[in-house]
Amino acid sequence: MNIKHGCLFLFSLILISACKIDMTTDVYLRDIKDVALKSAEGLKTSGLLQVGIPNCDDKEQLSKVTSLLQDYFLNVTEKSCEAGMESLLIIGVDIPIIHSEIGWTSKTKSTTALITKKSKDGSSILVNFALNKTRFGNLNEAIQNQFFDKLSFDESTVSFSINNDARQDEGLVVSDSFIDGKPVVFPKSLTLSRRNKIDLEPSNVRRINFSEQGMMPVFEIPIVDSEKATLDEEKNIE
């Protein structure tokens, strides 16, 4: 099992008055390319879930939350609990990176996944964030049964920290999102320098589509000519 331990997936469930979900994940471009172009299997991003709870001293409550999430995420591990006006249980998880959305829900028990593949014309790599609506519904029902509330995306945010861990600068195409806090409405090409990152937060429209349709585009990576040539050579060899 290949896991990039630096990849953060922040999932916040507020289980007291309003079940808000805030999700943040670090995306590494080398992982995305390995899955999209080479159909690499078993790649995951390690991350954290931040779960809102009434009291960090209630060990039974902490155990219940952790146990519940084990049925809906991968490698769930209780890390710590931060007490305050809103106590947060910190849980480690793994989020899979999967090649193609076709049948992805049968490939993992995770409720969410990063989905990546080449575009139909082969000119770019598409990166989407996927939600297994059936598993999310089951999670919602389980939370409602145990904590008398249910999850909602109405006031939530979904965001990504995109890291260029490649050996060269990489081009990206983004749209309908906030990039480092600045709005981008129409498709925009940008260059992400080596070892740099950008923070991307999709628009409310995309977040709602993620909630209702179970899929949300995040960004694209144009395939440069040298990569196309390499892919063509590999195809000819096969």
Side-chain angles (χ1 to χ4, degrees), residues 10-22:
L10 177 62
F11 183 25
S12 175
L13 308 177
I14 308 304
L15 302 175
I16 306 172
S17 58
C19 283
K20 177 183 176 183
I21 306 171
D22 291 333

Side-chain angles (χ1 to χ4, degrees), residues 88-125:
L88 295 174
L89 175 62
I90 312 300
I91 295 176
V93 296
D94 294 339
I95 305 298
I97 306 173
I98 297 176
H99 180 263
S100 179
E101 73 278 5
I102 299 174
W104 81 268
T105 57
S106 64
K107 299 176 182 177
T108 179
K109 74 171 189 175
S110 177
T111 302
T112 59
L114 283 168
I115 309 293
T116 179
K117 65 177 183 178
K118 285 196 298 181
S119 60
K120 289 183 178 180
D121 63 5
S123 64
S124 64
I125 297 170

Side-chain angles (χ1 to χ4, degrees), residues 174-190:
V174 298
S175 64
D176 200 14
S177 303
F178 290 90
I179 305 299
D180 291 334
K182 297 180 180 179
V184 175
V185 178
F186 303 106
K188 178 180 180 179
S189 297
L190 56 87

Side-chain angles (χ1 to χ4, degrees), residues 43-62:
L43 285 176
K44 300 178 180 68
T45 65
S46 66
L48 300 176
L49 310 185
Q50 289 195 353
V51 183
I53 58 171
N55 188 346
C56 282
D57 294 328
D58 189 342
K59 303 303 181 183
E60 183 179 356
Q61 179 90 342
L62 305 188

Side-chain angles (χ1 to χ4, degrees), residues 44-181:
K44 300 178 180 68
T45 65
S46 66
L48 300 176
L49 310 185
Q50 289 195 353
V51 183
I53 58 171
N55 188 346
C56 282
D57 294 328
D58 189 342
K59 303 303 181 183
E60 183 179 356
Q61 179 90 342
L62 305 188
S63 180
K64 283 183 178 180
V65 173
T66 303
S67 178
L68 187 154
L69 291 174
Q70 286 175 345
D71 292 331
Y72 301 95
F73 292 93
L74 306 179
N75 195 25
V76 174
T77 307
E78 185 176 322
K79 299 289 188 179
S80 63
C81 191
E82 299 177 356
M85 293 184 62
E86 179 185 344
S87 297
L88 295 174
L89 175 62
I90 312 300
I91 295 176
V93 296
D94 294 339
I95 305 298
I97 306 173
I98 297 176
H99 180 263
S100 179
E101 73 278 5
I102 299 174
W104 81 268
T105 57
S106 64
K107 299 176 182 177
T108 179
K109 74 171 189 175
S110 177
T111 302
T112 59
L114 283 168
I115 309 293
T116 179
K117 65 177 183 178
K118 285 196 298 181
S119 60
K120 289 183 178 180
D121 63 5
S123 64
S124 64
I125 297 170
L126 309 178
V127 182
N128 298 316
F129 196 51
L131 174 72
N132 185 329
K133 293 186 64 180
T134 300
R135 294 191 66 81
F136 182 75
N138 294 339
L139 172 60
N140 218 342
E141 183 178 352
I143 287 175
Q144 193 168 15
N145 289 339
Q146 289 200 33
F147 304 104
F148 310 104
D149 209 339
K150 61 181 181 179
L151 306 178
S152 172
F153 283 98
D154 290 348
E155 298 180 359
S156 304
T157 60
V158 180
S159 58
F160 304 85
S161 181
I162 303 170
N163 299 266
N164 182 7
D165 58 338
R167 294 186 176 90
Q168 67 283 326
D169 296 349
E170 293 283 357
L172 302 179
V173 178
V174 298
S175 64
D176 200 14
S177 303
F178 290 90
I179 305 299
D180 291 334

